[in-house]
Amino acid sequence: MKNSFKTFALSALGLIACSCTNNQVEVTPGTPVFSNFTYTGQDAVYDKNPLGTDEFYSPILQGCYPDPSICKKGNDYYLVCSSFAINPGVPIFHSTDLVNWKQIGHVLDRPSQLKVEDTGISAGVYAPTIRYNANNDTFYMITTEFAGGFGNIIVKTKDPMQGWSDPIKLNFEGIDPSIFFDDNGKAYIVHNDAPKKALYEGHRVIKVWEYDVEKDQVIPGTDKVIVNGGVDIKKKPIWIEAPHLYKKDGKYYLMCAEGGTGDMHSEVIFISNSPKGPFKPAPENPILSQRHLNADRPDKVDWAGHADLVEGPDGKYYGVFLAIRPNEQNRVNTGRETFILPVDWTGTFPVFEGGMEPLKAKLKMPAGVTNQTGQNGYFPNGNFTFTETFPSDTLDYRWVGVRGAREKFISVSPDGLAITPYDVNIKVALPTSTLFYRQQHLNFTATTTMNYIPRSEKDLAGITCYQSESFNYVFGVTKKGEDYVLVLQRTEKGNSTVLASVVVKEPRPILLQVKAVGDQYTFNYSEDGTTFQPITEPVSGDILSTNVAGGFTGAMIGLYATAGNDAI
């Protein structure tokens, strides 16, 4: 499963001739080498809420890790998230206690599984569900891939640590598929679909199919609508989606998101005597939402929904779900993140504990668990520092590409990370030569050291703060005449403006830094390796917000190179 970057001799590729003194690397013109990257989160909510010895933070996955799904086999838990046009696709995490998580790779990590090269950032892979089938000791991941002619697909494995099969295309329309394995050996798929006749904007239905486990295909003619519109069709509910089936005490439960994945988002629950219905809504719905709360509450968490349930190591149920942490301007730059709550299922219906109250930054751990987040290879949360020196043998799974695979434009050696620039720039819906790290805090500082010699005004390398191909900032070095010029370009709705530029000496090395304090982003640089200065006054992070740019992803910070620059 693990993607290991073999050591590339960059000198053999003509990218680096030698390592030089004074922190300089002799580079081939047009090819930047990034020798380090440091990201530090500085959110006040974590300073105000230090952890006790029996506590942990939620979200458990900060930044753009939306639409979580979870399953267990024995003492092992596996969690996956949507990845849209990010490459590789569907990050997968492992835990034994629901608190400490290690990323073990990506489910869709090779070209035969992931074909998102020509799609917008918010298309691609939506709403995966991961399940373990005890009847045949096999894990399944089912999702919708809006690209490459795939549609709804399923992949399988006996061991999530060892990689997944090629996709099997499923013969039904709609989105958000989820698979359920009954204890009698039968299987079912539920998903969101369009009604035969829409009664209002946002009217959707939930369908169920019987699934042939031997043939890995839905059984033709077995489809049935089990929810029309939502909990109460008379109230015109919108976007019933993300369905999951469960079985407990002989009853079948259908849990869905309702209200759209924005400020009306919620989670609702239904019950039946059969996986094919009829399903009756719980008397108290929703069971999770933040939509009814005071909009001006402190340390606000919002948009909660799109949940999945699992039994915890202490025998208690837990639910993972997406939510957002907006900044002081109510903008959503970190995107939809993965949160967790305990679930009370001692009664007929599951209820998220505290799920209808303002969500808190920290929770009590399951009994007997030690918090190791940020240590021993476990994913960090809260405020933390991530430092990358680009070793020659591996690259952290948190580094991703968009549309195109990382391996096609990067090379790693003890000197750092070299990016071979593509002829297209960041504003196209095509693979770009950019290595991305998700923004994980409202307040952060990200700094990189770059050795680079642009050849002409068509060359540029540096940092990008990226919401999409149509909304982004580019902060990098190019050439104008005989001068090396550092520029800051803002792109909004596809229209670009250079906000500032400054002549710099030969940029070997130059330190580039972006610092965000809520909605205010400052782009700094240092030519002496010590003293930073801003290229201009702080600029708004509005274009990096999901609720300004649209779509479903959070902002990312990219190490970027292009031979198709237009920022001059």
Side-chain angles (χ1 to χ4, degrees), residues 41-44 325-334 439 441-445 465 473 514-523 538-545 555:
Q42 301 145 323
D43 284 352
R325 295 175 297 144
N327 65 24
E328 79 284 1
Q329 296 294 327
N330 207 39
R331 291 172 180 149
V332 187
N333 294 34
T334 51
Q439 179 180 334
H441 297 81
L442 307 184
N443 308 315
F444 73 88
T445 302
C465 287
Y473 284 106
V514 56
K515 184 178 181 69
V517 179
D519 188 59
Q520 296 296 297
Y521 285 62
T522 304
F523 292 87
V539 297
S540 175
D542 54 354
I543 59 171
L544 305 177
S545 169

Side-chain angles (χ1 to χ4, degrees), residues 315-370:
K316 185 178 181 65
Y317 279 84
Y318 290 81
V320 293
F321 57 97
L322 72 78
I324 57 100
R325 295 175 297 144
N327 65 24
E328 79 284 1
Q329 296 294 327
N330 207 39
R331 291 172 180 149
V332 187
N333 294 34
T334 51
R336 296 165 174 86
E337 306 175 288
T338 291
F339 290 71
I340 192 169
L341 277 178
V343 172
D344 182 355
W345 207 342
T346 56
T348 301
F349 294 98
V351 176
F352 285 78
E353 295 182 11
M356 299 296 289
E357 303 166 7
L359 292 174
K360 299 176 181 178
K362 59 183 183 178
L363 302 169
K364 294 291 184 182
M365 288 190 293
V369 176
T370 300

Side-chain angles (χ1 to χ4, degrees), residues 390-409:
F390 300 110
S392 58
D393 55 347
T394 61
L395 191 67
D396 193 286
Y397 288 127
R398 284 169 281 186
W399 290 111
V400 294
V402 166
R403 303 181 191 89
R406 304 165 297 183
E407 296 91 333
K408 292 188 176 181
F409 60 84

Side-chain angles (χ1 to χ4, degrees), residues 260-566:
T261 183
D263 56 11
M264 293 302 291
H265 209 197
S266 71
E267 198 72 15
V268 296
I269 191 82
F270 305 79
I271 192 171
S272 176
N273 292 320
S274 165
K276 298 197 74 174
F279 279 92
K280 180 180 178 181
E284 297 292 334
N285 269 315
I287 58 174
L288 167 70
S289 186
Q290 300 285 283
R291 66 189 180 195
H292 56 289
L293 300 172
N294 183 348
D296 297 324
R297 61 193 182 275
D299 300 323
K300 182 165 70 172
V301 177
D302 213 352
W303 299 10
H306 200 122
D308 200 3
L309 302 177
V310 73
E311 187 177 356
D314 53 1
K316 185 178 181 65
Y317 279 84
Y318 290 81
V320 293
F321 57 97
L322 72 78
I324 57 100
R325 295 175 297 144
N327 65 24
E328 79 284 1
Q329 296 294 327
N330 207 39
R331 291 172 180 149
V332 187
N333 294 34
T334 51
R336 296 165 174 86
E337 306 175 288
T338 291
F339 290 71
I340 192 169
L341 277 178
V343 172
D344 182 355
W345 207 342
T346 56
T348 301
F349 294 98
V351 176
F352 285 78
E353 295 182 11
M356 299 296 289
E357 303 166 7
L359 292 174
K360 299 176 181 178
K362 59 183 183 178
L363 302 169
K364 294 291 184 182
M365 288 190 293
V369 176
T370 300
N371 192 337
Q372 301 181 68
T373 53
Q375 307 171 49
N376 304 317
Y378 291 105
F379 219 63
N381 60 10
N383 284 333
F384 59 83
T385 294
F386 170 78
T387 300
E388 178 67 88
T389 56
F390 300 110
S392 58
D393 55 347
T394 61
L395 191 67
D396 193 286
Y397 288 127
R398 284 169 281 186
W399 290 111
V400 294
V402 166
R403 303 181 191 89
R406 304 165 297 183
E407 296 91 333
K408 292 188 176 181
F409 60 84
I410 69 169
S411 300
V412 186
S413 85
D415 289 308
L417 175 93
I419 295 183
T420 302
Y422 291 164
D423 289 336
V424 297
N425 64 40
I426 201 86
K427 296 183 289 185
V428 298
L430 292 170
T432 67
S433 39
T434 318
L435 191 65
F436 287 101
Y437 181 91
R438 292 166 174 87
Q439 179 180 334
Q440 297 179 288
H441 297 81
L442 307 184
N443 308 315
F444 73 88
T445 302
T447 308
T448 190
T449 301
M450 181 179 73
N451 285 276
Y452 179 55
I453 304 173
R455 299 163 297 185
S456 73
E457 63 185 27
K458 287 297 183 182
D459 283 349
L460 180 142
I463 289 179
T464 178
C465 287
Y466 181 88
Q467 170 59 229
S468 74
E469 56 274 9
S470 299
F471 293 83
N472 54 73
Y473 284 106
V474 167
F475 182 49
V477 175
T478 185
K479 195 173 185 182
K480 189 172 183 179
E482 296 301 313
D483 292 328
Y484 298 109
V485 181
L486 179 63
V487 299
L488 177 62
Q489 181 189 57
R490 173 186 166 102
T491 297
E492 181 177 4
K493 298 180 180 178
N495 299 312
S496 300
T497 304
V498 173
L499 302 181
S501 64
V502 61
V503 174
V504 295
K505 61 188 178 184
E506 185 175 298
R508 292 195 301 125
I510 187 169
L511 276 66
L512 302 177
Q513 181 183 86
V514 56
K515 184 178 181 69
V517 179
D519 188 59
Q520 296 296 297
Y521 285 62
T522 304
F523 292 87
N524 304 312
Y525 67 100
S526 174
E527 296 184 88
D528 62 10
T530 302
T531 305
F532 282 92
Q533 55 187 319
I535 191 171
T536 188
E537 297 296 318
V539 297
S540 175
D542 54 354
I543 59 171
L544 305 177
S545 169
T546 304
N547 53 359
V548 172
F552 305 107
T553 58
M556 296 189 289
I557 305 150
L559 306 181
Y560 170 52
T562 180
N565 173 51
D566 65 357

